[in-house]
Amino acid sequence: MATNENLPPNVIKQLAKELKNLDESPPEGIKVGVNDDDFSIIYADIEGPAGTPYENGVFRMKLLLSRDFPHSPPKGYFLTKIFHPNIATNGEICVNTLKKDWNPSLGLRHILIVVRCLLIEPFPESALNEQAGKMLLENYEEYAKHARLYTGIHAKPKPKFKTGAISESTTALNVDQTNSSALNADQKNTAPGAALPVISASPSPLAPITVMRGNGQDQPAVAPVETGVSGCAASAAATTTTIRKEGGLTKAQADKKKIDARKKSLKRL
C-alpha cells in the first residue's frame, strides 16, 4: 500500500491528477511509471527520436520531487547510459527548464517533452559531458558515432510499465487519503480518553457454533451470527417475521373475544 509520506497531501493530490492524465494521454514517445510506495519518484521511458543518434533506443529516466514541489523544480536523471552533452556520466540532466527557467505552473508533461526535445537538439554550450559537447561542436559525425554506439549497447527496449498501473495507484492513493481524512476527523470528534472504534477492513466471519452435549444429543448452544449486508438482511427478515406473528396473535385474540361475546348473548336469549 502506498504511503507517500515524502510529499504533503496537496502535492500528492495534484500529482495523482497529472499522472492519471499522463497515463490516459501520454506524450508522443514517452511512457510514465510510478513508484507505488513513493510518488516523489517519477519514472519515464523515452523513445529515441527518429533522425537522431538515439533512434531505436529506449531511455529510462527519473524525476525526484522535493517536498516543496512545485515551488522548487524536480531533479532529473537518466538511468540509461547515454552519450549526450547535457547529460552527465552519472545521469544528471542539465536543462534550463529544471533550473533557472523553472516555473511552478509547469507540469510533468512539459518537463518530459522538454527532456525528449533535448535528444533532438542538444545545447553544447552548457555541457555536463564536456567530451560530448566538444565533439558535437568540432566533429558531428564522430559525436553521432559515439552516441549511436551507446544507444545500441545500453538503450535496449525496457520492460514496459504495467498498463493501467498509474490509474490503480492514484485510485488507491486517493482512497487512502479519504480513509485517513475520515479517521482523523473521527479522532478529533472523539472525547479525550474515549476508546476509538475499531474499523474492520472486511466483514467479520460467521460466529463459531458451540456444541453442548447433554442427554446423549448434540445441541447448538450459540446460533451463527451474520454481519455486514447479509446480517442486516437476516435481522430485517427476523423482525418482519416477529411482527407478522404478533399481528396474527392479536387478530386471533380479537376473534376469540367476538365469539365469547356472541355465546353470552345466546345464553341470555
Side-chain angles (χ1 to χ4, degrees):
M1 186 60 67
T3 55
N4 293 283
E5 297 176 353
N6 293 340
L7 297 174
N10 62 315
V11 175
I12 291 177
K13 184 178 180 180
Q14 177 63 28
L15 274 178
K17 182 179 179 181
E18 284 196 55
L19 289 170
K20 185 177 181 181
N21 179 269
L22 284 168
D23 189 44
E24 296 174 349
S25 178
E28 181 183 358
I30 301 173
K31 184 66 177 177
V32 179
V34 295
N35 180 341
D36 283 343
D37 295 324
D38 189 353
F39 268 32
S40 67
I41 304 176
I42 310 298
Y43 296 97
D45 280 347
I46 300 179
E47 297 176 5
T52 71
Y54 310 105
E55 186 175 1
N56 299 324
V58 177
F59 302 86
R60 182 157 292 180
M61 63 162 292
K62 68 178 179 180
L63 293 173
L64 301 180
L65 282 59
S66 61
R67 285 188 61 83
D68 61 346
F69 177 85
H71 299 292
S72 296
K75 293 182 179 179
Y77 295 89
F78 266 72
L79 301 178
T80 303
K81 287 187 176 181
I82 182 173
F83 190 75
H84 190 286
N86 306 112
I87 301 171
T89 53
N90 68 348
E92 183 180 356
I93 304 171
C94 178
V95 61
N96 288 337
T97 300
L98 298 179
K99 296 185 183 298
K100 65 180 183 179
D101 291 341
W102 173 252
N103 187 314
S105 64
L106 299 178
L108 296 178
R109 179 182 296 272
H110 179 82
I111 295 171
L112 295 173
I113 291 175
V114 168
V115 172
R116 188 168 188 265
C117 287
L118 200 62
L119 300 184
I120 300 173
E121 187 177 353
F123 295 94
E125 296 82 4
S126 57
L128 286 180
N129 185 327
E130 294 183 2
Q131 180 187 8
K134 184 178 180 181
M135 196 175 291
L136 176 59
L137 291 172
E138 297 178 355
N139 189 338
Y140 178 82
E141 289 302 324
E142 192 65 21
Y143 156 76
K145 181 180 177 181
H146 273 71
R148 278 193 292 267
L149 181 62
Y150 269 66
T151 299
I153 296 174
H154 303 291
K156 296 178 181 179
K158 306 288 187 298
K160 294 183 178 180
F161 296 120
K162 179 183 175 183
T163 302
I166 291 180
S167 296
E168 292 174 8
S169 298
T170 53
T171 300
L173 181 62
N174 288 332
V175 170
D176 288 345
Q177 286 187 295
T178 302
N179 289 341
S180 298
S181 299
L183 182 57
N184 290 335
D186 289 341
Q187 290 175 340
K188 289 180 180 179
N189 294 331
T190 303
L196 289 175
V198 178
I199 300 176
S200 175
S202 58
S204 301
L206 293 177
I209 299 177
T210 303
V211 177
M212 297 180 65
R213 300 183 181 277
N215 300 326
Q217 295 182 348
D218 293 342
Q219 299 177 347
V222 181
V225 179
E226 294 184 359
T227 59
V229 176
S230 299
C232 291
S235 178
T239 303
T240 303
T241 302
T242 302
I243 293 173
R244 286 177 179 174
K245 287 182 178 179
E246 291 178 350
L249 182 60
T250 303
K251 184 178 180 181
Q253 290 175 344
D255 291 341
K256 186 174 183 303
K257 287 181 179 180
K258 290 180 180 180
I259 292 172
D260 291 342
R262 287 179 182 177
K263 286 182 179 179
K264 288 179 180 180
S265 300
L266 289 173
K267 284 181 180 180
R268 290 174 183 173
L269 294 174

